[in-house]
Amino acid sequence: MEQKNNPQEQDINQLLKVRREKLAALCENGRNPFEIMKYDVSHHSMEIKENFETLKGQQVTIAGRIMSKRVMGKASFCNVQDLQGNIQSYVARDSIGEESYADFKKYDIGDIVGIKGEVFETKTGEKSIHASEVTLLSKSLQILPEKFHGLTNTDIRYRQRYTDLIMNPDVKETFIKRSKIISSIRHYLDAKGFMEVETPMLVSNAGGAAARPFETHYNALDEDVKLRISLELYLKRLIVGGMERVYEIGRVFRNEGVDTRHNPEFTLMELYQAYTDYIGMMDLTEDMFRHVAMEVNGSTTVTYGDVEIDLGKPFERMTMIEAVKKYSGVDFSEIQTTEEAKRVADEKHVEYEERHKRGDILNLFFETFVEEHLVQPTFIMDHPVEISPLTKRKPDNPDYVERFELFITCREMCNAYSELNDPIDQRERFMEQEKLLAQGDEEANRLDEDFLNALEIGMPPTGGIGYGIDRLVMLLTNSPAIRDVLLFPTMKSLPNEKG
């Protein structure tokens, strides 16, 4: 037996049918809104409200989406939403003409209109536009979510970001602020003498980070290539070439899971500066975070969830050994061998793999006992060499490297080094990575002969750093999940979307 649609579905289908019938009628009368090519907009909603005293009595034109409408005989009100917000319009039959008013009464919530009229204030104090012309610019054939409850289904919000932006003003503000954050970073670095560059996304060797790459086939060259997981190795080649300060902001791709902090494609910024080290990178990072927060939010104090983050005071600096000792009670400076490290890991119930060495286990202790405590800005310094294949060793302690990670709200915000510029040491590190790859570590770096050749040409002492732009945006917009700051986050395809 054929199953009948429920009453609600029938009602929606009828409403959708009516909208298409309205469009058909418009087209039959030679007034297809989709044939309109342009509309001259003189002002936006907030601009009118903020400059009301100057614009009062003046003619303006606005354009936007009808979000509400009240028809009252010979006069009506509608609320139009544009880029900046929304504004009310008073639409009277005697002002726009009988035929135009009859058309206006048939317009639906969601239709896009252009309104020309005079700026005025209603008796209730509402800053509005008294329409003299209303033009239908686009017909909405779908129904927007119910306005009082908004769009709350997170799956639909992420899949249909266009609807999310219409129904949830805070979402639009987040992405406007994201744009300002990236712009502020660019201005800051440009003023410091850095040059923005672009490097390849399709590469034969995806190195520079511990991550599993996406792989594809390049038909024209008949060879397998990968999507980049990092920007590092090409930017360092530019330092070799004499470009002393470079940065890139771009997408990278990592074939990993999705959670509140991770998306397979995300925005990374990396910068490299010749003739400095990781301390120089720390100072730059601290200064840049304050600059961006102040420029975008007007304060160096950031509210994230129920915690206040103070970017204004000096960021705490701890070595990884100090942090692990503080929060786990284990002092790795007294542990000399891998066997000792594994024995302590067993005692503390820290899981490890057979291939892991002493430095790997120190890092596992850090992840297990320390990260959850790093709420306020904290630089964790001097990582073990085993987990840092591209970093300069500390001259006084070669088991460790000149590296730091910045943590805020228990999240890694950036990763920085004094860059390894010794080609002999770098080759040995790559060979160790190749061994790990052979042992099943899919995130290990691969040997890169061209990069080694560049180092043999000669790279000056260099400081470098990588920033997760999405996590910085999360912090400065008080967003709990990375999907909230990505316009179109990665989602599993629905059955009807698969090819």
Side-chain angles (χ1 to χ4, degrees):
M1 181 183 286
E2 186 177 332
Q3 201 171 21
K4 294 182 179 179
N5 291 333
N6 65 45
Q8 186 177 12
E9 287 178 343
Q10 290 176 340
D11 290 344
I12 290 173
N13 289 336
Q14 182 59 32
L15 291 171
L16 293 174
K17 181 183 177 185
V18 168
R19 290 191 177 215
R20 281 162 172 73
E21 289 171 349
K22 288 180 180 180
L23 175 62
L26 287 167
C27 294
E28 286 173 10
N29 292 323
R31 288 182 292 171
N32 183 351
F34 299 123
E35 292 180 351
I36 294 176
M37 299 301 180
K38 57 178 271 188
Y39 188 82
D40 293 326
V41 175
S42 68
H43 294 80
H44 285 86
S45 54
M46 290 305 297
E47 185 182 1
I48 292 170
K49 292 178 179 180
E50 290 172 357
N51 298 281
F52 177 76
E53 295 304 324
T54 303
L55 293 172
K56 186 177 181 180
Q58 301 295 312
Q59 287 282 321
V60 297
T61 55
I62 66 160
R65 190 179 300 276
I66 297 175
M67 298 302 291
S68 65
K69 186 177 156 198
R70 285 184 295 131
V71 177
M72 303 178 296
K74 299 178 182 179
S76 301
F77 286 95
C78 69
N79 192 283
V80 175
Q81 179 174 293
D82 62 14
L83 173 67
Q84 295 181 353
N86 58 76
I87 192 165
Q88 178 177 269
S89 179
Y90 173 69
V91 183
R93 186 189 65 181
D94 294 344
S95 299
I96 69 170
E98 191 166 337
E99 185 178 353
S100 292
Y101 189 65
D103 289 339
F104 171 78
K105 289 197 292 183
K106 296 176 184 176
Y107 294 166
D108 292 305
I109 304 301
D111 287 353
I112 296 174
V113 296
I115 294 179
K116 179 179 180 180
E118 184 178 299
V119 176
F120 81 111
E121 191 171 30
T122 66
K123 292 178 182 178
T124 59
E126 179 84 14
K127 295 174 176 59
S128 308
I129 299 171
H130 189 148
S132 56
E133 288 180 15
V134 179
T135 306
L136 180 63
L137 303 175
S138 183
K139 182 69 187 166
S140 176
L141 299 179
Q142 280 287 353
I143 299 167
L144 292 176
E146 198 272 317
K147 66 179 181 178
F148 293 108
H149 297 101
L151 180 59
T152 57
N153 182 297
T154 54
D155 189 73
I156 295 176
R157 284 184 55 227
Y158 297 143
R159 290 184 187 279
Q160 299 182 13
R161 184 65 87 185
Y162 42 90
T163 309
D164 191 24
L165 290 167
I166 293 167
M167 300 307 300
N168 296 318
D170 290 347
V171 172
K172 185 186 290 184
E173 282 303 310
T174 292
F175 289 104
I176 290 172
K177 189 172 282 190
R178 180 190 174 104
S179 179
K180 290 178 179 177
I181 289 167
I182 294 173
S183 178
S184 178
I185 290 170
R186 282 194 166 103
H187 292 155
Y188 177 86
L189 292 176
D190 292 347
K192 295 282 186 184
F194 284 84
M195 179 171 69
E196 185 172 9
V197 297
E198 293 177 312
T199 60
M201 288 190 182
L202 284 174
V203 295
S204 58
N205 187 346
R212 183 181 177 185
F214 287 95
E215 300 182 14
T216 187
H217 188 77
Y218 186 11
N219 292 334
L221 297 181
D222 191 25
E223 67 179 31
D224 293 333
V225 292
K226 300 174 178 66
L227 287 170
R228 66 186 182 187
I229 61 173
S230 169
L231 314 174
E232 181 166 349
L233 300 185
Y234 280 98
L235 291 176
K236 284 182 179 177
R237 287 170 168 90
L238 299 181
I239 295 292
V240 170
M243 294 183 174
E244 294 183 1
R245 299 187 181 204
V246 294
Y247 74 96
E248 180 174 6
I249 300 174
R251 287 287 206 188
V252 296
F253 309 87
R254 298 182 181 179
N255 200 347
E256 58 188 18
V258 176
D259 59 30
T260 57
R261 302 184 189 187
H262 298 91
N263 194 73
E265 57 174 307
F266 61 98
T267 302
L268 184 64
M269 183 184 82
E270 293 196 29
L271 65 86
Y272 292 85
Q273 179 180 341
Y275 311 112
T276 190
D277 62 3
Y278 77 140
I279 300 298
M281 293 293 97
M282 268 190 237
D283 295 340
L284 182 147
T285 297
E286 200 166 328
D287 188 53
M288 188 180 76
F289 270 55
R290 289 193 192 110
H291 169 86
V292 174
M294 196 69 199
E295 192 166 275
V296 174
N297 285 349
S299 173
T300 55
T301 300
V302 178
T303 299
Y304 190 80
D306 56 359
V307 178
E308 277 204 350
I309 305 299
D310 188 354
L311 299 173
K313 68 180 183 181
F315 295 4
E316 187 175 1
R317 302 185 181 194
M318 281 194 290
T319 68
M320 184 176 281
I321 282 182
E322 289 169 345
V324 167
K325 182 179 179 181
K326 178 177 179 179
Y327 292 107
S328 78
V330 177
D331 187 353
F332 268 77
S333 65
E334 297 179 354
I335 296 174
Q336 303 303 318
T337 67
T338 295
E339 289 69 27
E340 286 181 76
K342 287 183 176 179
R343 187 167 60 251
V344 174
D346 291 337
E347 292 170 2
K348 291 285 188 176
H349 307 291
V350 174
E351 293 184 6
Y352 57 86
E353 296 178 27
E354 187 58 36
R355 62 182 172 82
H356 282 150
K357 297 181 180 178
R358 175 186 171 280
D360 299 300
I361 294 171
L362 169 59
N363 187 54
L364 292 171
F365 267 75
F366 173 77
E367 293 173 351
T368 303
F369 294 105
V370 181
E371 284 190 14
E372 63 182 354
H373 298 286
L374 304 180
V375 177
Q376 296 298 325
T378 306
F379 289 118
I380 298 296
M381 308 158 52
D382 301 351
H383 295 51
V385 69
E386 289 92 339
I387 62 167
S388 310
L390 297 161
T391 314
K392 238 178 201 182
R393 296 175 191 263
K394 293 181 70 66
D396 58 344
N397 193 351
D399 289 339
Y400 296 87
V401 296
E402 294 194 343
R403 173 183 173 186
F404 74 80
E405 293 172 295
L406 172 62
F407 284 83
I408 306 176
T409 65
C410 312
R411 295 171 181 168
E412 178 200 331
M413 305 298 290
C414 64
N415 186 18
Y417 317 146
S418 295
E419 302 298 333
L420 179 58
N421 61 343
D422 178 345
I424 297 171
D425 190 359
Q426 183 65 83
R427 180 177 291 278
E428 291 173 356
R429 307 266 197 103
F430 275 148
M431 295 309 293
E432 284 297 317
Q433 290 289 300
E434 287 284 345
K435 290 178 184 176
L436 293 175
L437 192 69
Q439 293 170 12
D441 184 355
E442 294 179 328
E443 296 185 349
N445 279 246
R446 299 297 303 265
L447 181 68
D448 189 326
E449 288 290 357
D450 183 71
F451 177 66
L452 289 170
N453 184 66
L455 291 187
E456 289 176 358
I457 295 291
M459 186 174 87
T462 298
I465 190 165
Y467 299 90
I469 294 296
D470 307 303
R471 290 188 183 180
L472 177 58
V473 175
M474 288 169 66
L475 175 67
L476 296 182
T477 60
N478 194 11
S479 299
I482 192 170
R483 288 182 174 188
D484 295 324
V485 299
L486 297 174
L487 278 168
F488 300 102
T490 302
M491 304 286 288
K492 186 175 176 63
S493 298
L494 296 173
N496 62 349
E497 294 173 333
K498 295 177 180 179

